[in-house]
């Protein structure tokens, strides 16, 4: 060791990243991080992907993390570099995505002096991260990097910021290994078997059971999704997935009732409302799922498996809380289920399925596409055809989305059979997420088909990342459902605000075909129904990045919909159905 | 359900790493999630200064108090969270310095009451006293109310320090 030349903090940093198995960093240079970029320049094992804005770097790292299960890594400079990253950090916090974000900082002697490009990054990111560090002593650097990765991926995953003053990365630093065990953060992952036994007893007695599974199953790893499928099949129970959980259970399975929640299916929401036993796995009963809380699944005995104890009993009181990793809890549930001699109430279960089938007959996602040449394209049909054509081609498909109507149509009409194939901003609802996230997915899966299902408004929020696609020859397909409105805003204005379309029209849109061209990508457009399949096929055949501008019905609304302040059984169905559901009240309007 | 909605007071002790920002994490959690802080104390509690103990007095429904504890427990530098109010009998004390300005009969009466409360006089001039009083929050509240008519000028309170009774530790 003594024979080695002392390493700079930046070299120590890269060594620790390598030991963590980091293969790619999404970043953007600046004054405070130049020593780190110097160290990156001098090595070849870690690839750096230059984004066009720091927010794009975090979303790209999220896409990378969600599609691989690995920790995504971000490197940005001090001040505006760090503040631009904040939205992405909040997004990763809400959706439990493991990210380590390295931020530059002014030298330690200037901290607090309002120095050039100084921001109180640890102060600003404290509520935007799972944890953050400011490294003030060189001897802490290696340990903090290792700890940050441990914290980001352990328990409920999340983003961790390491703020690195410039002198810390310039000066020599020792390489201190982290302690074998973290001194305070040791999240529980093994389920309490007594609680598992209680859960099995409730589920065996159930006459109207329901499984409600979310992103925690996906975060637990692909084996957790396999165990969920195994458990659902062993029990014969109906199952729904949250927006974050899509792909945790195969969408083509007859036991799958589709997504639940505000834009979930009629059968999923009514089964939630009417069940007498509810098993929640890795889902957090958020407001978009529950609707009006005091009317939420009132008649059910509830079991809640979550790795984050603070997610249990937060919104909905449950009878059997189980703090554990979803996969480990599901394995324990399966073992206890098999070991228990009690039989399920088969006649009751059969009656429950008959009830569910009558709800299914409503076909709540139904829409009518006029196939006459020249007819306007329905957005749902565009998603459906994208799904069908991609599936027929047998390609491995990853879907990201922006936020709004197109996101909900993608969730409803694109069917996911596997976990880690669906990347969307669920908790924070970040417009501009999909393009950079798709970039990160494509970096991780160079040969896969990666499509960002977008809206024309959202895509403009991070359109600069088209430059990154071009630089790295990433053949991401941007599939814009262009209705010339911020569609979800317009829908709410129509349904809740008397049709006053305040500022929701997408005026002065760019020509997306020319825009693609300007970014060295391929642009294409479909304006009527007979062009749709050709454009989708051309898009999927195209070796470069593509922007496909699909002009869709401007007036189409996303149904079904549980209005704000309404209960699951007060859904509004679409115009295809006879009138049903609740009238939105002023009180409901305020609930957002 | 009704007992879930009843408000209660809770004295929560949190053992944390004594590091920069840890108090901000705790107070930020309370402000960010809309919880109350009725009182808060923090100081290092071991010889090498590695750990600090934060004592928080808060008010909320049973569901909110459970949330507060769960949220505190998942902070990375937190070692232990203990709900002293729920986990058994505990002792809780705070200290106050109370300045009373006055002369004549009011000054004599203030001193007489201070004696009853076993408050110490830690500073005096011909026109003022500073009393030091240690005890339960309610005792301090009662003393301060009594001083209001006797020239109460200024109060400085430490907030609550608390420990479980008996052999239990955090």
């Amino acid at each position: 060791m003594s024979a080695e030349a002392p390493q700079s903090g930046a070299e120590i940093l890269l060594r620790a990243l390598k030991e963590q198995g980091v293969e790619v960093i999404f970043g953007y240079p600046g004054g405070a991080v130049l020593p780190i970029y110097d160290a990156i320049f001098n090595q070849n094992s870690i690839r750096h992907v230059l984004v066009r804005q720091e927010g794009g770097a975090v979303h790209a790292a999220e896409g990378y993390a969600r599609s691989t299960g690995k920790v995504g890594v971000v490197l940005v400079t001090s001040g505006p570099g760090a503040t631009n990253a904040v939205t992405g950090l909040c997004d990763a916090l809400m959706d439990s995505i493991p990210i380590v974000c390295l931020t530059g900082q002014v030298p330690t002697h200037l901290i607090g002096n309002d120095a050039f490009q100084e921001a109180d990054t640890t102060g600003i990111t404290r509520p935007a991260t799972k944890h953050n560090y400011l490294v003030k002593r060189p001897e802490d650097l290696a340990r903090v990097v290792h700890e940050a990765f441990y914290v980001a991926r352990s328990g409920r995953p999340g983003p961790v910021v390491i703020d690195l003053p410039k002198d810390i990365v310039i000066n020599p630093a020792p390489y201190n290994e982290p302690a074998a065990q973290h001194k305070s953060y040791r999240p529980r992952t093994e389920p309490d078997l007594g609680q598992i036994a209680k859960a099995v007893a409730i589920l065996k007695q159930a006459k109207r059971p329901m499984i409600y599974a979310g992103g925690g199953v996906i975060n637990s790893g692909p084996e957790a999704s396999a165990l969920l499928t195994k458990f659902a099949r062993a029990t014969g129970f109906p199952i729904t997935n949250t927006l974050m959980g899509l792909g945790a259970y195969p969408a083509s399975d007859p036991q799958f009732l589709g997504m639940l929640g505000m834009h979930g299916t009629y059968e999923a929401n009514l089964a939630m409302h009417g069940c007498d036993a509810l098993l929640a796995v890795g889902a957090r009963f958020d407001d978009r799922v529950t609707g009006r809380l005091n009317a939420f699944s009132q008649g059910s005995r509830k079991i809640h498996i979550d790795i984050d104890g603070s997610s249990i009993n937060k919104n909905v009181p449950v009878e059997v809380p189980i703090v554990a990793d979803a996969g480990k809890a599901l394995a324990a549930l399966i073992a206890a289920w098999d070991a228990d001699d009690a039989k399920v109430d088969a006649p009751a279960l059969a009656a429950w399925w008959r009830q569910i089938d009558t709800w299914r007959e409503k076909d709540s996602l139904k829409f009518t596409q006029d196939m006459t040449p020249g007819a306007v394209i329905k957005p749902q049909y565009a998603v459906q055809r994208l799904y069908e054509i991609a599936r027929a081609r047998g390609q491995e498909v990853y879907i990201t989305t922006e936020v709004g109507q197109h996101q909900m149509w993608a969730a409803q009409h694109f069917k996911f059979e596997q976990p880690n194939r669906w990347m969307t901003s669920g908790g924070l609802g970040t417009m501009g997420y999909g393009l950079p996230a798709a970039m990160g997915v494509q970096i991780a899966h160079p040969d896969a088909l990666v499509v960002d299902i977008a809206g024309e408004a959202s895509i403009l929020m991070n359109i600069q990342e088209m430059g990154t696609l071009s630089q790295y020859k990433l053949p991401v397909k941007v599939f814009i459902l262009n209705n010339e409105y911020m569609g979800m805003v317009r829908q709410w204005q129509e349904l809740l605000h008397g049709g006053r379309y305040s500022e929701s029209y997408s005026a002065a849109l760019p020509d997306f075909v020319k825009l693609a061209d300007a970014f060295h990508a391929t642009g294409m457009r479909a304006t009527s129904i007979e062009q749709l399949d050709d454009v989708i096929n051309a898009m999927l055949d195209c070796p470069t990045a593509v922007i496909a501008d699909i002009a869709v019905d401007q007036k189409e609304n996303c149904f079904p919909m549980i209005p704000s302040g309404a209960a699951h059984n007060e859904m509004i169905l679409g115009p295809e159905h006879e009138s049903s559901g609740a009238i939105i009240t002023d009180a409901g309007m305020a609930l957002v | 359900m009704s007992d879930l909605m009843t408000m209660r007071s809770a004295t929560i002790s949190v053992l944390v790493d004594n590091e920069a920002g840890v108090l901000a994490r705790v107070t930020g959690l309370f402000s960010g999630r809309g919880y109350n802080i009725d009182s808060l104390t923090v100081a290092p509690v071991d010889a090498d200064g590695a750990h600090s103990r934060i004592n928080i007095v808060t008010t909320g429904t049973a569901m909110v108090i459970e949330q507060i504890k769960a949220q505190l427990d998942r902070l990375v530098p937190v070692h232990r969270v203990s709900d002293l109010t729920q986990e058994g009998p505990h002792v809780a004390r705070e200290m106050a310095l109370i300045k009373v300005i006055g002369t004549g009969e009011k000054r004599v009466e203030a001193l007489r009451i201070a004696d009853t409360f076993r408050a110490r006089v830690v500073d005096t001039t011909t026109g003022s006293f500073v009393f030091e009083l240690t005890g339960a929050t309610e005792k301090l509240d009662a003393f301060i109310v009594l001083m209001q008519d006797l020239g109460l000028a200024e109060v400085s309170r430490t907030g609550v320090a608390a420990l479980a009774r008996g052999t239990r530790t955090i």
Side-chain angles (χ1 to χ4, degrees):
Chain A
M1 188 70 198
S2 56
E4 279 180 45
Q7 290 189 300
S8 72
E11 287 163 330
I12 292 295
L13 170 69
L14 282 173
R15 182 174 153 194
L17 294 178
K18 271 174 223 166
E19 288 200 6
Q20 284 294 334
V22 174
E23 291 162 350
V24 59
I25 296 175
F26 300 92
Y28 201 104
V33 287
L34 283 179
I36 302 174
Y37 276 85
D38 232 17
I40 288 173
F41 188 81
N42 285 323
Q43 55 85 52
N44 287 315
S45 59
I46 297 180
R47 180 181 183 196
H48 180 274
V49 174
L50 176 66
V51 298
R52 296 300 183 269
Q53 204 256 19
E54 290 87 349
V58 187
H59 295 320
E62 286 185 274
Y64 178 89
R66 288 181 68 170
S67 66
T68 61
K70 298 177 189 168
V71 178
V73 182
V74 177
L75 170 58
V76 298
T77 194
S78 63
T83 57
N84 277 342
V86 169
T87 300
L89 294 171
C90 281
D91 192 273
L93 183 69
M94 289 286 263
D95 285 348
S96 313
I97 313 299
I99 298 289
V100 168
C101 178
L102 310 162
T103 58
Q105 183 54 277
V106 301
T108 44
H109 72 275
L110 283 179
I111 289 178
N113 273 1
D114 299 327
F116 177 66
Q117 291 196 328
E118 180 183 0
D120 175 8
T121 299
T122 48
I124 289 169
T125 61
R126 198 171 290 124
T129 53
K130 181 173 173 185
H131 194 55
N132 61 17
Y133 300 88
L134 168 62
V135 181
K136 282 179 148 171
R137 302 184 308 174
E139 62 267 33
D140 291 339
L141 179 59
R143 175 185 61 80
V144 163
V145 174
H146 287 296
E147 256 190 50
F149 277 83
Y150 166 77
V151 170
R153 67 171 169 253
S154 304
R156 179 176 176 178
V160 177
V161 159
I162 310 176
D163 204 22
L164 297 162
K166 195 170 184 180
D167 53 325
I168 294 290
V169 289
I170 290 175
N171 294 335
Y175 192 91
N176 292 336
E177 298 282 347
Q181 199 181 38
H182 193 278
K183 56 188 172 177
S184 56
Y185 187 67
R186 294 194 287 273
R188 180 187 181 120
T189 58
E190 295 290 341
D192 180 311
L193 295 180
Q195 295 292 89
I196 293 283
K198 279 189 206 166
V200 168
I202 289 173
L203 294 171
K204 287 253 172 163
Q205 291 164 19
K207 295 183 186 306
R208 300 184 310 280
M210 182 69 175
I211 303 172
Y212 149 55
V217 177
I218 292 177
N219 272 337
S220 175
E223 60 285 359
S225 293
L227 289 167
L228 176 69
T229 306
K230 188 176 173 193
F231 182 71
R233 295 218 173 114
T235 57
F237 293 173
I239 175 166
T240 180
N241 282 162
T242 66
L243 180 67
M244 294 298 295
L246 294 176
Y249 193 82
S252 60
D253 190 279
Q255 280 170 252
F256 187 59
L257 306 192
M259 182 176 76
L260 84 167
M262 183 173 269
H263 294 290
T265 65
Y266 191 69
E267 55 271 28
N269 284 327
L270 286 196
M272 289 293 283
H273 189 78
C275 65
D276 71 344
L278 178 60
L279 172 65
V281 191
R284 60 186 176 87
F285 293 92
D286 90 295
D287 54 282
R288 286 301 193 257
V289 157
T290 61
R292 181 154 50 86
L293 264 182
N294 63 9
F296 172 75
S297 196
Q298 290 281 287
S300 61
R301 300 178 71 183
K302 297 179 185 72
I303 301 148
H304 189 183
I305 298 167
D306 205 292
I307 200 159
D308 174 11
S310 76
S311 283
I312 298 178
N313 287 328
K314 181 171 69 179
N315 302 328
V316 174
V318 300
E319 183 178 335
V320 184
I322 300 174
V323 178
D325 170 76
K328 290 181 176 177
L330 284 163
L333 262 184
I334 291 168
W337 180 271
D338 291 344
D340 188 302
D341 292 335
K343 294 274 173 278
V344 293
D345 187 341
L349 213 53
W352 177 228
W353 271 111
R354 282 194 296 278
Q355 172 65 70
I356 289 169
D357 286 339
T358 65
W359 292 329
R360 264 183 174 161
E361 280 163 19
K362 280 260 190 194
D363 194 8
S364 60
L365 302 180
K366 182 166 61 179
F367 61 91
T368 304
Q369 174 66 58
D370 178 359
M371 297 306 291
T372 317
V376 66
I377 301 165
K378 291 280 183 188
Q380 302 95 317
Y381 185 72
V383 174
Q384 185 186 309
R385 286 306 290 156
L386 175 65
Y387 165 67
E388 289 166 351
I389 293 171
R391 190 180 56 167
R393 295 164 72 109
Q395 270 171 289
E396 194 181 12
V397 188
Y398 293 81
I399 299 290
T400 71
T401 74
E402 311 289 334
V403 168
Q405 282 183 324
H406 68 274
Q407 176 190 28
M408 292 298 115
W409 284 318
Q412 291 173 338
H413 296 280
F414 209 101
K415 311 290 179 205
F416 296 92
E417 302 295 313
Q418 290 167 287
N420 306 99
R421 296 296 189 277
W422 162 249
M423 272 63 51
T424 194
S425 172
L428 196 65
T430 311
M431 293 170 73
Y433 171 88
L435 174 54
M439 208 161 84
V441 175
Q442 190 84 73
I443 289 277
H445 308 276
D447 300 323
L449 170 63
V450 183
V451 183
D452 171 25
I453 298 179
E456 86 291 338
S458 279
I459 192 66
L460 290 176
M461 284 213 178
N462 270 324
I463 193 71
Q464 76 286 346
E465 300 305 334
M466 289 300 297
T468 311
L469 296 186
S470 169
Q471 180 177 346
Y472 296 94
K473 300 195 168 24
L474 302 173
V476 166
K477 316 303 181 200
V478 179
F479 190 70
I480 301 177
L481 303 180
N482 185 346
N483 59 5
E484 296 184 26
Y485 276 99
M486 296 160 209
M488 195 60 91
V489 173
R490 193 204 56 77
Q491 174 169 344
W492 283 51
Q493 287 172 333
E494 177 186 330
L495 299 176
L496 297 156
H497 295 271
R500 293 177 294 280
Y501 299 122
S502 180
E503 302 294 329
S504 56
Y505 180 64
S506 293
L509 280 173
D511 179 329
F512 284 107
V513 174
K514 286 184 183 161
L515 188 69
D517 194 40
F519 276 113
H520 318 292
T522 308
M524 39 190 83
R525 177 175 288 130
T527 52
S528 57
I529 190 65
E530 72 281 5
Q531 299 164 350
L532 180 66
D533 280 13
D534 289 346
V535 165
I536 292 173
N537 277 307
M539 174 178 90
L540 300 187
D541 286 337
C542 184
T544 71
V546 170
I547 297 181
D549 183 15
I550 312 296
V552 298
D553 189 344
Q554 298 191 355
K555 294 284 161 55
E556 193 67 21
N557 284 333
C558 188
F559 291 115
M561 178 178 179
I562 302 176
S564 320
H568 275 173
N569 61 342
E570 300 170 323
M571 299 189 82
I572 303 178
L573 296 175
E576 306 283 332
H577 302 83
E578 67 277 21
S579 74
S580 67
I583 294 158
I584 298 156
T585 62
D586 284 352
M589 206 160 93
L591 292 171
V592 184
Chain B
M1 196 68 191
S2 66
D3 58 326
L4 281 179
M5 302 314 290
T6 313
M7 300 285 276
R8 74 164 172 105
S9 174
T11 302
I12 298 171
S13 283
V14 192
L15 195 66
V16 299
D17 281 329
N18 178 22
E19 63 179 30
V22 67
L23 184 61
R25 286 182 211 289
V26 170
T27 55
L29 192 157
F30 275 72
S31 61
R33 294 187 181 268
Y35 308 141
N36 302 305
I37 298 182
D38 299 329
S39 149
L40 181 137
T41 59
V42 54
V45 287
D46 48 13
D48 59 357
H51 300 102
S52 288
R53 183 181 178 115
I54 299 175
N55 301 294
I56 304 161
V57 182
T58 183
T59 315
T61 62
M63 230 167 137
V64 167
I65 303 282
E66 285 309 307
Q67 259 299 294
I68 290 172
K69 289 189 287 185
Q71 294 286 352
L72 286 168
D73 198 43
R74 69 180 189 146
L75 293 178
V76 170
V78 166
H79 289 261
R80 277 278 290 133
V81 178
S82 172
D83 182 347
L84 294 171
T85 308
Q86 195 176 54
E87 287 167 17
H90 68 283
V91 283
R93 292 289 180 269
E94 63 173 313
M95 198 263 273
L97 296 174
I98 298 130
K99 183 175 286 186
V100 177
I101 299 174
T103 53
E105 189 49 41
K106 285 191 172 179
R107 176 175 163 82
V108 176
E109 183 61 16
L111 194 60
R112 205 175 291 143
I113 292 172
D115 193 44
T116 313
F117 274 78
R118 299 192 188 167
R120 292 172 59 209
V121 176
V122 291
D123 177 73
T124 183
T125 67
T126 54
S128 70
F129 287 119
V130 174
F131 297 114
E132 174 197 314
L133 180 60
T134 302
T137 297
E138 300 73 34
K139 175 176 163 177
L140 270 57
D141 290 344
F143 183 76
I144 290 163
V145 167
L146 287 173
M147 289 299 121
Q148 270 168 359
D149 292 335
L150 302 173
L152 179 72
E154 197 173 356
V155 177
S156 180
R157 293 172 75 148
T158 58
V160 167
L163 288 178
R165 287 186 186 274
T167 55
R168 283 181 301 123
T169 59
I170 190 164

